[in-house]
Amino acid sequence: MIGETISHYRVVAELAGGSEAEVYLAEDSRLGREVVLRFLPASFQYDPDRRSTFLADARAISGLRSANVAAIYDIGEHKGSIYVVMEYVEGERVSWKLESGPLSVAEAIDIASQVADALTESHTIGIVHGGLRTSMLMVTERRLVKVLELGLFRTTGPPATQVSKGTQKLGRQTALGLDAHAVSYLAPEQARTGAADQRSDIFSLGVVLYETLAGRLPFEGESATGIIDKILHEPHTSISRLNYNVPPELERIVNKCLEKDADRRYQSARELATDLRNLHRDLQAAADAGSRLLSPARQTRAINRPRAKKAIDSIAVLPFENQSGDPEVEYLCDGITESLITNLSELPKLRVMARSTVFRYKGRPSTDALDIGRELVVRSVLTGRLLQRGDSVLLKIELVDTFDGSYLWGEHYHRRISEILNLEEEMARDVSDKLRLKLTGALKKQIARRYTENTQAYQLYLKGRYHWNKRTEESIRKSIELFEKAIEVDPSYALAYAGLADAYNLLAAYSTAPLATPFLRAKATALMAIKLDDKLAEAHASLAAVKFWRDWEWEGAERGFSRAVELNPGYAIGQMWRSLFLAAMDRLEEAVAAVKLALELDPVSRVINLNLARVLHFARRYDEAVEQSLKTIEMYPDYTLALRRLGVSYAERGSFEEAQATLKQCVAKAPDDSEALSLLGYSYGLGGAMEEARATERKLVELSERLFVSQYSFARLYIGLGDFDRAFASLDQALIERQGLLVYLKVEPMFDQLRGDPRLKDLSEKIGLE
């Protein structure tokens, strides 16, 4: 074939060192450059499936723009044989360099880092190398590492365990064309079934890194069969026994790459590249300081990393902008934002603004990020812009230091929608790293954990949360439908069960009639979520909420709320619910402290601001309760619950005119609000305006003929009128209703007039509060 012209490529020479395909050096007569022509082996030419897969992969690889990947220029056909035209790379193969012995630690890290970068790029388009080894890595004169044959000529089944000669020496061919030396780089799952994913490439890169440091392979043998057996069943020899210069941190990295269980390896090449570069930086810093990284007498993994700035201790993740022009993509923007907030909030020593606080700024341009960050008093702000086109998602995020306005970091992520789980995992790790947080391995795993591997289930969950956060009865019912679909797709999806429990709890609160079924379903789904994953803070909080407001199971409720905030101290709603429980138990100082902590986490939350006023009201700190209610109304003028709280606090402190004026506003805004009518009648009675109180009673009775009105509302009005017999009769009925407000019997100020009555003690005993 030498001297032939194929299309516009003149074949110059035959090249060695490739796979089983024919490889030639050729001259591109159009562009005047040297190229490599690779002809597909016969096993690809005559297998339609392998041929079409190869062509699809080659087209995808040709779109890569990584400096560390040998480029694909063209694909053609000559005399019935398909060939691919590739970049000709001059340099020294890593396998050749190893003929002189192991490489230096610095050179080995540099090579592995560049290969990890190449794999990061290829994995984003779904291409795995599948045959990575030192002979596939070329180092140019400028020390640039090029990965050759990326994703091409992969086998589709496991290597043959029996070869034509059972004791073939290294370098001989197996039945599938892989020599025994190449088998040494296969991941266990490849050796067992032929299946390969991105973690298989990470295992192969671990073998490469081991070989460059030790000068030998981690798994060697006389035959392919023997090598495969060692890959599957035997541990490798510790590098430190072969090369004393390898620091413990580098050995840890290699060992993690070589985990036989793919789930225990690095889950992405980007994560591996980050660890390698961090180690390189640490080694360089130690060398510059004139000291060794680790004392040989202390075999420890502790690394002192120089910090240019103090670690950032607070962040606001602003709602990601939807640049797709499609409202249907909004759930994805909100869902990714919320997931990132949730993951980061689990980190110690990092204050993360809660969802309800940052979503108040939804729709504000990213140019306002610095002002928003300073308004929220956080050290950093993260912004993001998302563009979806078909099944492709492009996400750009930026991190800004609000202290001096400096740009800290930015990244582009280009993924298929099917890889959205990988995207969120990478973002959480990248952001925590850029915040300069010192994370343990357990914390890194925690913030990158997945609750499902099913992308469809995850998207349904995100849509469920999107509707749940709208907080209307209609949207809550829609969220229930979506959470149930997510569970149908993945019955082991713990987070979807937790979302369903939250939705049922909220439905019980928003429903106009007392419903036992939502509470029962909330309890059942929360229990299922905990059974699947007992580290879900939301599930523990949802279960505790049912035990508190419905079951009146005080010890179980306290354990649940405490467990929730222990698992996720940044879970603001969990902190708020715990504060209400503490208040009901007459532990008011603890309750005030807990709700203030919740407000710190979520300073503009309507419900948390409201409940701070509520807990202050229970503590008889009426002036503070009034002030906090006014503050909440200033932020949310149409929030009738805050108006109701303001009115009753005015009444309890004796400001009856202000109370009645405020509560009349509530009734005017919502004439069918039985709670507002009840509070207005109570304030009339408390202030001595009996005629107005009785007129309000008649309106409440009329309303009850059309709509459900809790007996608790009648009891409140009767207490204001001083008609305690009727009040207790209504409270007995409220007990049958299992009215949730009865949990505050010990601390609700309106019951102070009944404290000496044995009937109140009897009621308290029935609830279990005595």
Side-chain angles (χ1 to χ4, degrees):
M1 190 170 289
I2 296 172
E4 280 189 51
T5 298
I6 299 171
S7 183
H8 55 282
Y9 304 107
R10 186 174 65 85
V11 179
V12 176
E14 186 172 2
L15 294 175
S19 66
E20 71 269 34
E22 295 178 55
V23 188
Y24 299 95
L25 175 65
E27 181 181 355
D28 183 342
S29 59
R30 289 181 182 171
L31 299 178
R33 63 183 176 185
E34 292 178 313
V35 297
V36 174
L37 295 188
R38 308 272 328 215
F39 284 83
L40 267 68
S43 60
F44 283 74
Q45 298 283 3
Y46 305 111
D47 185 328
D49 290 336
R50 297 182 76 181
R51 179 173 170 141
S52 62
T53 299
F54 166 82
L55 291 172
D57 285 358
R59 292 187 188 99
I61 296 165
S62 68
L64 283 177
R65 295 294 180 265
S66 171
N68 298 113
V69 175
I72 292 180
Y73 297 141
D74 196 6
I75 299 174
E77 189 167 346
H78 178 68
K79 296 181 180 178
S81 296
I82 291 180
Y83 64 87
V84 59
V85 183
M86 304 174 66
E87 175 185 5
Y88 174 63
V89 182
E90 287 188 316
E92 186 178 14
R93 292 179 188 266
V94 173
S95 56
W96 301 343
K97 294 169 76 70
L98 288 171
E99 291 175 0
S100 303
L103 308 183
S104 69
V105 168
E107 187 175 12
I109 291 175
D110 181 51
I111 289 171
S113 298
Q114 293 190 57
V115 176
D117 286 344
L119 294 178
T120 297
E121 292 298 315
S122 70
H123 292 166
T124 61
I125 61 170
I127 298 295
V128 298
H129 192 292
L132 188 70
R133 48 193 185 270
T134 51
S135 61
M136 298 292 185
L137 306 176
M138 189 77 81
V139 183
T140 69
E141 287 185 355
R142 299 173 60 187
R143 296 198 300 179
L144 180 67
V145 178
K146 289 276 189 178
V147 178
L148 310 178
E149 299 185 9
L150 176 65
L152 303 179
F153 317 113
R154 289 173 290 174
T155 59
T156 57
T161 55
Q162 297 295 325
V163 291
S164 57
K165 295 182 180 180
T167 58
Q168 284 179 308
K169 301 292 184 182
L170 297 179
R172 301 289 292 276
Q173 298 294 308
T174 69
L176 284 176
L178 286 173
D179 63 30
H181 182 79
V183 169
S184 298
Y185 296 83
L186 295 180
E189 61 270 21
Q190 285 178 285
R192 188 181 297 111
T193 67
D197 62 14
Q198 62 186 39
R199 298 169 299 179
S200 309
D201 279 349
I202 290 168
F203 184 97
S204 299
L205 180 51
V207 175
V208 168
L209 185 52
Y210 184 106
E211 186 180 9
T212 58
L213 293 166
R216 52 167 279 191
L217 289 161
F219 308 103
E220 295 180 329
E222 287 293 307
S223 68
T225 304
I227 295 170
I228 288 172
D229 185 68
K230 289 184 178 181
I231 290 171
L232 293 176
H233 306 296
E234 293 186 15
H236 57 272
T237 303
S238 171
I239 294 182
S240 57
R241 293 179 57 186
L242 305 172
N243 185 344
Y244 296 113
N245 294 320
V246 175
E249 175 65 4
L250 183 53
E251 182 164 22
R252 181 196 70 79
I253 291 171
V254 174
N255 290 343
K256 187 171 181 179
C257 291
L258 295 179
E259 287 280 0
K260 296 187 187 299
D261 182 350
D263 289 336
R264 296 174 65 87
R265 287 177 217 148
Y266 287 100
Q267 297 300 293
S268 72
R270 183 187 295 275
E271 181 185 1
L272 170 58
T274 298
D275 276 5
L276 287 167
R277 288 200 163 85
N278 285 343
L279 176 59
H280 174 76
R281 178 193 63 198
D282 298 330
L283 289 166
Q284 189 62 51
D288 293 343
S291 62
R292 299 182 64 182
L293 178 66
L294 295 171
S295 167
R298 279 179 71 243
Q299 291 300 311
T300 173
R301 292 175 183 166
I303 300 173
N304 294 319
R305 296 180 175 173
R307 306 278 184 180
K309 295 182 179 179
K310 180 182 177 182
I312 290 172
D313 60 0
S314 54
I315 186 172
V317 182
L318 298 185
F320 288 0
E321 294 179 30
N322 176 10
Q323 294 192 320
S324 304
D326 181 0
E328 293 297 317
V329 181
E330 208 66 41
Y331 84 93
L332 191 58
C333 295
D334 290 0
I336 293 175
T337 306
E338 189 169 354
S339 293
L340 193 53
I341 290 170
T342 301
N343 287 338
L344 294 177
S345 69
E346 295 183 1
L347 298 179
K349 300 180 181 178
L350 180 67
R351 184 168 59 92
V352 183
M353 288 293 102
R355 181 198 187 281
S356 56
T357 288
V358 296
F359 270 74
R360 191 183 184 202
Y361 300 99
K362 188 174 174 65
R364 290 270 292 270
S366 57
T367 51
D368 292 349
L370 197 57
D371 292 336
I372 294 170
R374 288 169 178 166
E375 184 179 327
L376 294 175
V377 197
V378 290
R379 177 67 189 277
S380 61
V381 173
L382 186 79
T383 60
R385 295 190 290 278
L386 185 145
L387 177 67
Q388 182 178 350
R389 287 289 182 266
D391 67 346
S392 180
V393 173
L394 178 63
L395 181 62
K396 180 180 180 182
I397 60 176
E398 294 180 352
L399 185 67
V400 177
D401 190 333
T402 58
F403 179 74
D404 55 11
S406 61
Y407 176 88
L408 293 174
W409 167 73
E411 184 64 273
H412 287 79
Y413 300 90
H414 190 191
R415 301 288 186 277
R416 294 172 181 164
I417 193 71
S418 60
E419 298 173 316
I420 194 69
L421 290 162
N422 290 336
L423 171 62
E424 291 194 357
E425 181 181 330
E426 285 182 42
M427 279 200 307
R429 281 198 306 268
D430 290 349
V431 173
S432 60
D433 180 62
K434 298 309 174 184
L435 292 174
R436 297 184 291 277
L437 297 172
K438 195 172 185 179
L439 303 183
T440 64
L443 281 173
K444 286 181 180 179
K445 186 176 180 180
Q446 182 175 326
I447 65 170
R449 62 179 166 168
R450 296 184 188 177
Y451 298 98
T452 182
E453 296 296 328
N454 189 299
T455 304
Q456 183 189 0
Y458 183 62
Q459 287 182 268
L460 287 166
Y461 171 79
L462 291 184
K463 289 177 180 178
R465 279 294 180 192
Y466 176 74
H467 287 281
W468 184 82
N469 279 306
K470 292 182 179 180
R471 302 295 178 100
T472 66
E473 187 171 346
E474 181 184 359
S475 66
I476 293 164
R477 292 187 185 278
K478 179 65 175 176
S479 76
I480 288 172
E481 177 188 332
L482 290 161
F483 289 137
E484 286 177 339
K485 284 182 180 178
I487 291 167
E488 185 180 334
V489 172
D490 182 358
S492 63
Y493 192 2
L495 200 59
Y497 282 102
L500 191 55
D502 285 346
Y504 280 129
N505 266 330
L506 210 57
L507 181 62
Y510 277 73
S511 178
T512 55
L515 299 174
T517 304
F519 278 119
L520 294 174
R521 289 181 177 172
K523 187 174 185 178
T525 49
L527 283 168
M528 187 62 183
I530 292 169
K531 181 180 178 181
L532 292 167
D533 184 351
D534 69 352
K535 290 183 171 56
L536 270 178
E538 297 90 339
H540 284 282
S542 283
L543 180 58
V546 178
K547 290 182 177 181
F548 177 34
W549 281 293
R550 182 73 186 178
D551 293 348
W552 302 337
E553 187 187 328
W554 316 122
E555 291 182 7
E558 180 164 21
R559 281 196 304 271
F561 288 135
S562 296
R563 180 64 173 150
V565 299
E566 175 192 347
L567 287 168
N568 186 355
Y571 184 30
I573 292 297
Q575 295 281 11
M576 183 198 76
W577 282 352
R578 179 172 173 269
S579 76
L580 292 174
F581 170 80
L582 292 169
M585 298 299 107
D586 202 11
R587 293 156 61 181
L588 290 164
E589 286 187 17
E590 293 177 71
V592 171
V595 74
K596 284 185 175 179
L597 174 58
L599 196 62
E600 245 181 69
L601 295 166
D602 199 352
V604 297
S605 165
R606 290 195 318 172
V607 68
I608 296 176
N609 272 281
L610 173 70
N611 279 294
L612 173 55
R614 187 183 201 180
V615 173
L616 290 169
H617 179 88
F618 289 154
R620 278 64 173 173
R621 292 158 61 171
Y622 300 126
D623 289 344
E624 293 174 68
V626 165
E627 183 181 347
Q628 179 61 32
S629 298
L630 288 169
K631 179 181 175 183
T632 307
I633 293 165
E634 184 181 354
M635 288 192 289
Y636 303 100
D638 295 326
Y639 194 24
T640 55
L641 292 181
L643 270 177
R644 276 169 24 188
R645 177 56 49 194
L646 175 63
V648 73
S649 292
Y650 274 142
E652 293 295 355
R653 82 169 185 184
S655 304
F656 299 117
E657 288 185 11
E658 291 91 336
Q660 291 152 19
T662 302
L663 292 166
K664 282 178 182 176
Q665 287 183 52
C666 289
V667 174
K669 287 175 178 286
D672 290 344
D673 184 348
S674 60
E675 283 287 289
L677 267 175
S678 169
L679 286 167
L680 178 58
Y682 172 74
S683 71
Y684 279 138
L686 211 58
M690 297 302 176
E691 188 175 335
E692 289 84 350
R694 289 191 179 93
T696 307
E697 178 193 357
R698 288 192 291 272
K699 290 181 182 177
L700 195 61
V701 170
E702 289 171 6
L703 182 63
S704 69
E705 292 170 355
R706 294 189 292 111
L707 302 170
F708 170 79
V709 175
S710 169
Q711 287 297 313
Y712 187 91
S713 296
F714 281 105
R716 179 193 290 121
L717 195 149
Y718 295 144
I719 290 172
L721 284 167
D723 191 345
F724 300 154
D725 289 340
R726 293 175 73 191
F728 276 113
S730 291
L731 288 171
D732 286 339
Q733 290 300 310
L735 182 66
I736 295 171
E737 292 173 4
R738 297 195 76 82
Q739 166 58 246
L741 291 175
L742 287 173
V743 300
Y744 304 113
L745 203 62
K746 292 172 72 173
V747 293
E748 173 58 65
M750 78 174 186
F751 293 117
D752 288 352
Q753 299 178 62
L754 310 179
R755 296 293 171 200
D757 194 311
R759 289 175 292 182
L760 187 67
K761 184 178 180 182
D762 180 58
L763 181 63
S764 186
E765 286 175 350
K766 288 177 181 177
I767 295 172
L769 286 170
E770 290 296 326

